[in-house]
Amino acid sequence: MNCKELVYLLGDYLEGTMEEPLRQEFSLHLEMCEPCMNFLRTYDTTRILCRQIRCEEIPEEVRTRLKAFVMEKVREHNRDIEKYVEKAAIERREQVSTLLRAYAANRLSPMMAVLFQTHNDRCETCGAFLRSIDGGKSLVEMPKVPPDIEEHIAEFLEALPPGEAPTLS
Amino acid sequence: MPTERVADDNVLLEGLRHGSAEAAETLFDRFHGRIYSLAMSILKNESDAEEAVQDVFLTVVRKAHTFKGNSALYSWMYRICVNTCLMRLRGKRRSETVAIEDFMPVFTEDGMHTSLVDDWSKEVERKALEKELGQVIQKFTETLSEKYRVVFVLSDVEGLSNEETAQILGLTVPAVKSRLHRARLYLRERLTGYLREGKMEKQ
Ligand SMILES: [Zn+2]
């Protein structure tokens, strides 16, 4: 091993990750070569000195300001999510009621009518509710949709193939 | 990494996904010091570091639901912090960097040192020098290009292992080792120059 090779391997040596035969060669050179010994010492000292430029302390007023900022943003973020959830719920209710009105007025598209009928034949809860608004009742008479029915129908709507218009125009 | 902490982090993430303010507070208390320190080491400026820390926590809160947990939470946050800091550095006029090549050790054809090597390691142990050297090192690290500086900051200043640094930066471990080594060689050389020509000589 020459000086150049030794310098190249300094990191591994100081980390203690060097394989044994290589390490012996390294130490052997080090014992006989003063420049390399000095190089190693100053390299290692550089490494140790650098630890102390770490910023250990965050100024108290910066910490306070940062914490207030982060907590405020979290509240904002949560409000945004709540709004989003609310908006999604309203949209869903509208979609369901559009579908039901179209059903009651016999204005479902043919494909939709088949699909919807299939669901209602299979699903007892929805079937019973649907029979209660059967026969072209007016919108005014439409009873409030119970939450479990709404959920079922929303689920049904979500599973539709794209591009299927649910009602006749 | 202890499994206990990983479990802890998962509880924290779960809380964040559900918008728990308590989880957000714990997250802040647990990580703000380390993140601020890292941002300071890269950006070297208090107000820039403060904004970077803001960005990091905002990102974590907003993206908690997409974090897969393949890596540790702190490693994810360090990665966000490094990216944020690098973006900030690019947006600014860069401070002058030097050609690191000019400060690499020189060897003869058969690989021997071309000149005597000064051993100043004992001299810097004096307490009086510590603060001064800190500032000098700070200055020299600022002249390192990003490529070396970020690796150096994570490994030698923040004290992460080479594996952790590699994971955070998306580098291989050998790439981290080689950049780190060159950064140290550079700083050693600059310190040698400083100590040889600076105050030490005159005393
Ligand atoms: Zn040698």
Side-chain angles (χ1 to χ4, degrees), chain A residues 3 29 33 36, chain B residues 113:
Chain A
C3 303
H29 180 114
C33 181
C36 275
Chain B
H113 293 279

Side-chain angles (χ1 to χ4, degrees), chain B residues 23-182:
Chain B
E25 189 169 3
T26 311
L27 180 86
F28 182 85
D29 291 344
R30 196 176 293 173
F31 290 104
H32 74 278
R34 277 186 277 172
I35 297 297
Y36 181 80
S37 155
L38 176 60
M40 270 301 276
S41 296
I42 301 177
L43 295 170
K44 315 280 182 200
N45 173 306
E46 267 191 22
S47 67
D48 285 351
E50 184 173 343
E51 283 178 24
V53 176
Q54 292 181 350
D55 287 353
V56 173
F57 281 98
L58 280 190
T59 309
V60 172
V61 167
R62 288 185 185 149
K63 294 197 174 163
H65 60 281
T66 61
F67 178 63
K68 293 286 187 295
N70 295 330
S71 55
L73 178 58
Y74 86 91
S75 148
W76 181 48
M77 292 185 71
Y78 270 37
R79 199 156 52 224
I80 298 172
C81 185
V82 168
N83 291 342
T84 305
C85 291
L86 290 182
M87 268 155 57
R88 281 176 181 276
L89 281 180
R90 283 195 191 118
K92 293 193 152 212
R93 209 169 58 89
R94 293 297 328 278
S95 54
E96 216 53 36
T97 59
V98 293
I100 197 168
E101 304 306 326
D102 298 345
F103 295 91
M104 292 298 110
V106 187
F107 300 96
T108 64
E109 253 176 53
D110 23 340
M112 312 238 296
H113 293 279
T114 49
S115 57
L116 286 175
V117 176
D118 259 0
D119 179 13
W120 42 260
S121 61
K122 287 280 171 298
E123 298 162 59
V124 300
E125 278 169 14
R126 289 182 14 241
K127 269 270 173 267
L129 252 178
E130 242 176 44
K131 197 170 173 223
E132 181 189 325
L133 276 182
Q135 286 166 349
V136 169
I137 292 171
Q138 190 85 259
K139 237 196 199 114
F140 287 146
T141 58
E142 283 171 45
T143 61
L144 275 172
S145 67
E146 253 169 43
K147 177 179 167 187
Y148 297 104
R149 198 206 300 182
V150 176
V151 171
F152 166 78
V153 161
L154 286 172
S155 291
D156 273 0
V157 181
E158 296 297 319
L160 299 185
S161 72
N162 292 336
E163 287 72 19
E164 289 170 316
T165 301
Q167 201 200 13
I168 288 165
L169 298 178
L171 292 169
T172 62
V173 173
V176 166
K177 278 189 180 175
S178 130
R179 289 186 193 187
L180 186 58
H181 182 56
R182 289 164 71 78

Side-chain angles (χ1 to χ4, degrees), chain A residues 1-12 14-15 17 29 33-59 61-71 73-78 80-81, chain B residues 18-22 24-25 28-29 32-34 36-37 40-41 44 46 50 53-54 57-58 61-62 78 105 107 110-113 115-122 124 130-131 133-134 137-138 141 152 156-159 162 177 180-181 184-185 187-188 191:
Chain A
M1 186 180 296
N2 62 32
C3 303
K4 189 177 177 180
E5 288 160 348
L6 181 137
V7 166
Y8 182 74
L9 294 167
L10 277 173
D12 287 339
L14 291 171
E15 249 180 59
T17 54
H29 180 114
C33 181
E34 203 187 332
C36 275
M37 183 51 103
N38 292 348
F39 201 99
L40 177 132
R41 287 198 183 118
T42 46
Y43 180 96
D44 195 27
T45 305
T46 302
R47 212 168 60 119
I48 292 159
L49 284 173
C50 289
R51 289 289 331 235
Q52 62 156 321
I53 67 168
R54 183 170 192 269
C55 156
E56 300 283 357
E57 282 291 311
I58 173 166
E61 84 262 21
V62 177
R63 184 208 313 277
T64 313
R65 207 158 50 220
L66 273 171
K67 188 159 184 174
F69 173 89
V70 169
M71 296 314 289
K73 288 293 169 183
V74 166
R75 280 188 291 273
E76 259 174 45
H77 180 66
N78 289 344
D80 286 349
I81 287 180
Chain B
H18 288 103
S20 150
E22 198 188 324
E25 189 169 3
F28 182 85
D29 291 344
H32 74 278
R34 277 186 277 172
Y36 181 80
S37 155
M40 270 301 276
S41 296
K44 315 280 182 200
E46 267 191 22
E50 184 173 343
V53 176
Q54 292 181 350
F57 281 98
L58 280 190
V61 167
R62 288 185 185 149
Y78 270 37
F107 300 96
D110 23 340
M112 312 238 296
H113 293 279
S115 57
L116 286 175
V117 176
D118 259 0
D119 179 13
W120 42 260
S121 61
K122 287 280 171 298
V124 300
E130 242 176 44
K131 197 170 173 223
L133 276 182
I137 292 171
Q138 190 85 259
T141 58
F152 166 78
D156 273 0
V157 181
E158 296 297 319
N162 292 336
K177 278 189 180 175
L180 186 58
H181 182 56
R184 288 169 179 170
L185 289 176
L187 291 169
R188 194 206 74 90
L191 276 177

